[in-house]
């Protein structure tokens, strides 16, 4: 039995390390201490709220988050704005609705039940406005790149002047964490580009951290519920396993001495 | 089968059982004599049944919310993850459940290889098992297509394109599979239909697998025939039920850890990018459990021969009971086979590793050597080994190794000397 568990353990360990090695092709990403990692990981509420502000004021000009709904902003486990705040945030956007009883489409302020308004009508329009490069939708971006949230954080802070000898085309920028080092997004963050509502100093690192946290939540809005339930579920399973183990020992003791 | 005929106590029970012997069946299952020396490697049959039921139950629930349409599939999965109550839990159980299912099935298969469970009189159990394994791969592959991410789309493109290797009719077959001239909506809807169907086929085959098992009874670590029922056996309930239950709980702890704390680690990040026929991912890799076969496929330069090699790698297992010429079942008494067994395990792990790497340079060379060795193991080593190997004498009954804790040559010999 000891051997058995040793082998199982090794198999699982090698499986995991194999995948991590696979995922961490660009191993030298900037590493940040994320509050949402680990068994009890929770989002930093303030960071999420500031992250929304950065997204809204900096990213949202080009990047959509089409799977988020305004009501999500006030839901448990997210930025947890008050419902009134979320309503006001939604109302600052216009959505096209209809047709009304006259058969006409009309615009109205967005409601809590509306999806995040997209900056462009469609993908082609987004490409046309950005030199042919589509600014990816950010709904699940934190799960769609190897390195995940660290990758986003690194990209935001990875802008540099190109090394001598490399000339870049117009509208192409040098980023040391981007695949191939060429990125079509201009450096989005600079100090004090947003003025945080809570008075936090808006350094580049701070904004990168906040918006990365926000994007992790956008990709995984039930992360906190998952961690909470996971702890309870595993604890329950461990207790049950111990009980079954002793029941098993007791029952098997009936026959073993007889042999 | 138990020797005594089961007679229900109540009058109604007797009336019912005479017409449909369900109670007799339940009694047979509870009393089923099981070798008492089964180790924990034998608990994976029960674990696999659990995996299948879990996949079916979570799959049914997902199907209530999923939309099998090329324009809506990706979005509907996000809808499940965000808006369906506990949708994230159900989906993560289902997607990690597939990996857990394969983890368990590989342990189950390699247990069988080590202890010679495929040998006479258990060939039919083994062959049904191989069919189940094939169906599992089909179901898993089609399931991976359903979220309609980049890996879904391009994985489907690569795998279905394999059929174009068939001479003359290949192209036609591929178009027929796709329902068009490329992977698209018709492909998605038929994959969804088949993904829904296959688990129930597997369920039926599992019943046959267990039925076929209950005729000769379980093999055991010593690999000798056991008289049933006897002091070498214990009734399935409560002994094996508790032991399987304990192992299953251990397994679910690992399972839960993946679901709750690293639900995406076994998947590929590209599958969170919606399918785009205009953009090919840099590396197209299948899920980890298909990697060894993917490596075999890519190690053969010719497309048709690659497909043939990949299929043969699985189908060769059907012939295994006859390729292995040794009469001794358990590797415990086969010192040479035991070494070759572990080399095969390493070989398959290496194939899995190079399957995930780009097929070039050293990786390709290693893949070719490992592929060649895989076939050599089954086609040359096993048949020859049966004749050449000097095996260790078998004990007279399983009681003995149970007594001393492990099969021990010295005690076996001593006993033979005493007789």
């Amino acid at each position: 039995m000891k051997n058995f568990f040793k082998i199982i353990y090794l198999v699982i360990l090698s499986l995991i390390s194999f995948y991590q090695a696979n995922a961490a092709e660009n191993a030298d990403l900037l590493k940040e201490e994320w509050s949402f990692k680990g068994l009890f990981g929770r989002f930093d509420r303030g960071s999420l709220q500031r992250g929304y502000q950065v997204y809204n004021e900096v990213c949202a000009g080009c990047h959509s988050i089409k799977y988020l709904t305004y009501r999500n902003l006030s839901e448990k486990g997210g930025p947890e704005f008050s419902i009134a705040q979320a309503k006001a945030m939604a109302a600052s956007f216009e959505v096209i609705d209809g047709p009304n009883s006259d058969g006409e489409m009309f615009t109205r302020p967005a409601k809590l039940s509306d999806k995040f308004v997209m900056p462009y009508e469609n993908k082609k329009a987004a490409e046309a406005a950005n030199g042919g490069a589509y600014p990816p939708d950010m709904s699940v971006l934190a799960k769609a790149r190897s390195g995940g949230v660290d990758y986003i954080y690194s990209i935001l802070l990875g802008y540099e002047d190109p090394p001598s000898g490399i000339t870049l085309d117009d509208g192409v920028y040098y980023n040391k964490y981007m695949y191939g080092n060429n990125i079509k997004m201009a450096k989005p963050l600079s100090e004090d580009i947003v003025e945080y509502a809570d008075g936090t100093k808006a350094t580049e690192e701070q904004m990168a951290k906040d918006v990365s946290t926000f994007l992790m939540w956008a990709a995984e809005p039930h992360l906190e519920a998952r961690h909470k339930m996971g702890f309870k579920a595993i604890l329950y399973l461990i207790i049950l396993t111990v009980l079954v183990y002793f029941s098993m020992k007791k029952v098997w003791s009936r026959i073993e001495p007889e042999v | 089968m138990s020797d005594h005929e089961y007679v229900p106590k109540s009058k109604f029970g007797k009336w019912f059982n005479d017409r449909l012997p369900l109670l007799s069946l339940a009694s047979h299952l509870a009393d089923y004599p099981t070798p008492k020396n089964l180790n924990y490697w034998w608990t994976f049959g029960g674990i696999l049944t659990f995996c299948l039921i879990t996949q079916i139950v979570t799959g049914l629930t997902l199907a209530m919310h999923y939309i099998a349409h090329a324009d809506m599939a990706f979005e509907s999965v996000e809808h499940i993850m965000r808006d369906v109550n506990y949708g994230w839990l159900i989906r993560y159980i289902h997607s990690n459940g597939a990996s857990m299912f394969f983890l368990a099935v590989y342990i189950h298969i390699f247990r069988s290889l080590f202890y010679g469970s495929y040998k006479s009189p258990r060939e039919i159990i083994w062959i049904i098992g191989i069919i189940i394994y094939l169906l599992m791969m089909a179901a898993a592959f089609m399931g991976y297509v359903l979220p309609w991410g980049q890996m879904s789309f391009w994985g489907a493109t690569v795998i279905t394109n394999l059929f174009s290797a068939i001479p003359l009719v290949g192209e036609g077959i591929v178009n027929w599979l796709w329902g068009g001239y490329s992977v698209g909506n018709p492909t998605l809807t038929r994959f969804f239909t088949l993904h829904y169907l296959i688990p129930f086929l597997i369920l039926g085959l599992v019943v046959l697998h267990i039925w076929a098992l209950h005729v000769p009874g379980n093999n055991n670590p010593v690999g000798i025939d056991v008289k049933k029922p006897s002091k070498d056996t214990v009734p399935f309930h409560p002994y094996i039920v508790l032991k399987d239950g304990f192992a299953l709980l251990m397994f679910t702890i690992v399972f839960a850890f993946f679901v709750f704390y690293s639900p995406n680690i076994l998947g590929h990040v590209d599958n969170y990018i919606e399918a785009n026929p205009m953009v090919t991912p840099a590396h197209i890799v299948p899920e980890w459990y298909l990697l060894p076969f993917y490596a075999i496929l890519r190690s053969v330069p010719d497309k048709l021969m690659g497909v043939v090699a990949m299929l043969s790698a699985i189908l060769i297992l059907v012939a295994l009971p006859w390729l292995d010429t040794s009469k001794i079942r358990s590797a415990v008494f086969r010192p040479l086979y035991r070494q070759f067994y572990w080399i095969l395990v390493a070989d398959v792990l290496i194939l899995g590793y190079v399957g995930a790497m780009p097929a070039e340079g050293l990786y390709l060379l290693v893949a070719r050597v490992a592929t060649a060795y895989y076939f050599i193991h089954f086609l040359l080593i096993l048949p020859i080994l049966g004749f050449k190997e000097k095996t260790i004498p078998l004990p007279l009954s399983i009681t003995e190794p149970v007594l001393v804790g492990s099969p021990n040559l010295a005690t076996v010999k001593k006993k033979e000397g005493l007789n």
Side-chain angles (χ1 to χ4, degrees), chain B residues 329-359:
Chain B
R329 291 198 192 103
S330 174
V332 172
F333 302 99
R334 300 183 62 191
L336 275 178
Y337 173 70
R338 201 158 60 213
Q339 289 172 30
F340 283 115
Y341 170 85
W342 286 111
I343 296 174
L344 179 73
V345 173
D347 188 63
V348 172
L349 290 176
I350 289 169
L351 279 172
Y353 177 75
V354 292
M357 296 296 147

Side-chain angles (χ1 to χ4, degrees), chain B residues 243-313:
Chain B
K243 192 170 177 176
D244 277 3
F246 167 64
L248 173 61
L249 282 165
M250 298 284 287
F251 183 81
T252 52
I253 291 173
V254 177
F255 194 156
F257 193 84
F258 277 107
V259 168
F260 291 109
Y261 291 109
S262 38
N264 293 309
I265 199 168
L266 297 168
H268 199 289
V269 285
D270 279 16
N271 229 27
Y272 277 108
I273 304 172
E274 193 168 358
N276 184 351
M278 312 306 282
V279 179
T280 318
H283 298 294
I284 301 172
V285 280
E287 291 279 76
W288 68 267
Y289 38 79
L290 303 176
L291 287 174
F293 300 105
Y294 194 53
I296 291 174
L297 169 77
R298 294 192 306 177
S299 67
V300 183
D302 181 70
K303 191 176 179 184
L304 178 60
M305 292 322 285
V307 175
V308 169
M310 181 176 70
L311 285 178
S312 317

Side-chain angles (χ1 to χ4, degrees), chain A residues 85-154:
Chain A
Q85 279 174 313
K87 271 185 178 158
M89 285 164 180
S92 65
F93 297 92
E94 296 251 291
V95 292
I96 298 168
D97 202 348
N100 61 15
S101 49
D102 299 326
E104 305 286 341
M105 302 303 280
F106 59 94
T107 55
R108 60 162 174 80
K111 295 186 286 198
L112 285 183
S113 55
D114 284 311
K115 296 264 185 236
F116 271 38
V117 173
M118 303 210 280
Y120 302 103
E121 295 243 317
N122 51 53
K123 204 170 161 177
K124 286 283 172 222
E127 283 171 356
N130 289 281
Y134 170 61
D137 180 77
M138 286 178 156
S139 305
V140 284
L141 196 67
K143 294 195 285 188
R145 297 288 182 276
S146 71
V149 72
D150 286 321
Y151 173 81
I152 294 173
Y153 181 72
S154 303

Side-chain angles (χ1 to χ4, degrees), chain A residues 1 4 18-19 39 67 71 139-140 143-144 218 220 222 226-227 229-231 241 248 251-252 255 259, chain B residues 36 40-41 74-75 78 81-83 86 88 92 234 239 249 260-261 263-265 269 272 288 353 399:
Chain A
M1 175 150 158
F4 172 78
F18 170 64
Y19 264 83
L39 293 191
Y67 298 131
R71 69 178 153 77
S139 305
V140 284
K143 294 195 285 188
E220 196 73 357
H222 297 293
R226 174 154 62 76
H227 284 180
M229 188 193 281
F231 180 72
T241 307
M248 176 184 77
V251 167
W252 276 80
I255 53 145
V259 182
Chain B
K36 62 162 64 159
Y40 279 94
W41 298 110
F74 191 86
E75 188 178 349
E78 279 308 310
M81 291 296 289
R82 290 158 193 273
D83 300 330
Y86 299 104
W88 56 270
Y92 278 154
V234 290
Y239 296 96
L249 282 165
F260 291 109
Y261 291 109
N264 293 309
I265 199 168
V269 285
Y272 277 108
W288 68 267
Y353 177 75
T399 320

Side-chain angles (χ1 to χ4, degrees), chain A residues 153-174:
Chain A
Y153 181 72
S154 303
I155 286 285
L156 288 172
L157 298 175
Y159 284 87
E160 279 180 352
D161 291 330
S164 57
I166 293 182
T167 45
L168 296 170
D169 293 340
D170 244 12
V172 178
Y173 306 88
Y174 189 87

Side-chain angles (χ1 to χ4, degrees), chain B residues 343-382:
Chain B
I343 296 174
L344 179 73
V345 173
D347 188 63
V348 172
L349 290 176
I350 289 169
L351 279 172
Y353 177 75
V354 292
M357 296 296 147
E360 58 200 23
L362 186 63
Y363 292 129
L364 189 57
L365 182 70
V366 172
R368 285 183 174 158
V369 173
T371 300
Y373 183 80
Y374 182 90
F375 286 103
I376 288 170
H377 175 90
F378 288 107
L379 292 176
L380 278 179
I381 296 174
L382 283 189

Side-chain angles (χ1 to χ4, degrees), chain B residues 132-359:
Chain B
I132 293 174
Y133 174 51
L134 275 170
L135 285 176
M136 272 175 69
M137 289 202 277
F141 160 66
M142 289 192 235
Y144 197 57
V145 174
L146 301 185
W148 213 239
Q150 274 289 67
M151 272 307 158
S152 301
F153 183 89
W154 291 98
T157 304
V158 169
I159 300 297
T160 48
N161 254 317
L162 295 179
F163 290 90
S164 70
I166 302 167
L168 301 173
V169 291
E171 289 294 330
I173 288 179
V174 172
N175 288 342
W176 176 71
L177 286 174
W178 285 341
Y181 295 101
S182 67
V183 173
N185 196 51
T187 325
L188 178 60
T189 49
R190 65 192 55 189
F191 276 21
F192 178 58
T193 313
L194 293 173
H195 183 71
Y196 206 118
L197 168 71
I198 290 173
F200 296 99
L201 298 181
I202 294 177
L203 189 64
L205 284 166
V206 166
V207 172
L208 295 184
H209 194 64
I210 296 172
W211 186 2
L213 169 72
H214 279 230
V215 178
N218 288 74
N219 184 28
N220 65 77
V222 181
I224 57 174
D225 290 327
V226 199
K227 267 194 76 182
K228 338 165 277 177
S230 70
K231 70 184 172 91
D232 284 351
T233 65
V234 290
F236 190 79
H237 183 75
Y239 296 96
I240 303 299
V241 168
L242 273 169
K243 192 170 177 176
D244 277 3
F246 167 64
L248 173 61
L249 282 165
M250 298 284 287
F251 183 81
T252 52
I253 291 173
V254 177
F255 194 156
F257 193 84
F258 277 107
V259 168
F260 291 109
Y261 291 109
S262 38
N264 293 309
I265 199 168
L266 297 168
H268 199 289
V269 285
D270 279 16
N271 229 27
Y272 277 108
I273 304 172
E274 193 168 358
N276 184 351
M278 312 306 282
V279 179
T280 318
H283 298 294
I284 301 172
V285 280
E287 291 279 76
W288 68 267
Y289 38 79
L290 303 176
L291 287 174
F293 300 105
Y294 194 53
I296 291 174
L297 169 77
R298 294 192 306 177
S299 67
V300 183
D302 181 70
K303 191 176 179 184
L304 178 60
M305 292 322 285
V307 175
V308 169
M310 181 176 70
L311 285 178
S312 317
I314 305 165
L315 293 179
I316 205 170
L317 296 173
V318 174
L320 180 60
W322 297 276
L323 287 172
D324 185 347
T325 49
S326 175
K327 292 276 171 279
I328 307 297
R329 291 198 192 103
S330 174
V332 172
F333 302 99
R334 300 183 62 191
L336 275 178
Y337 173 70
R338 201 158 60 213
Q339 289 172 30
F340 283 115
Y341 170 85
W342 286 111
I343 296 174
L344 179 73
V345 173
D347 188 63
V348 172
L349 290 176
I350 289 169
L351 279 172
Y353 177 75
V354 292
M357 296 296 147

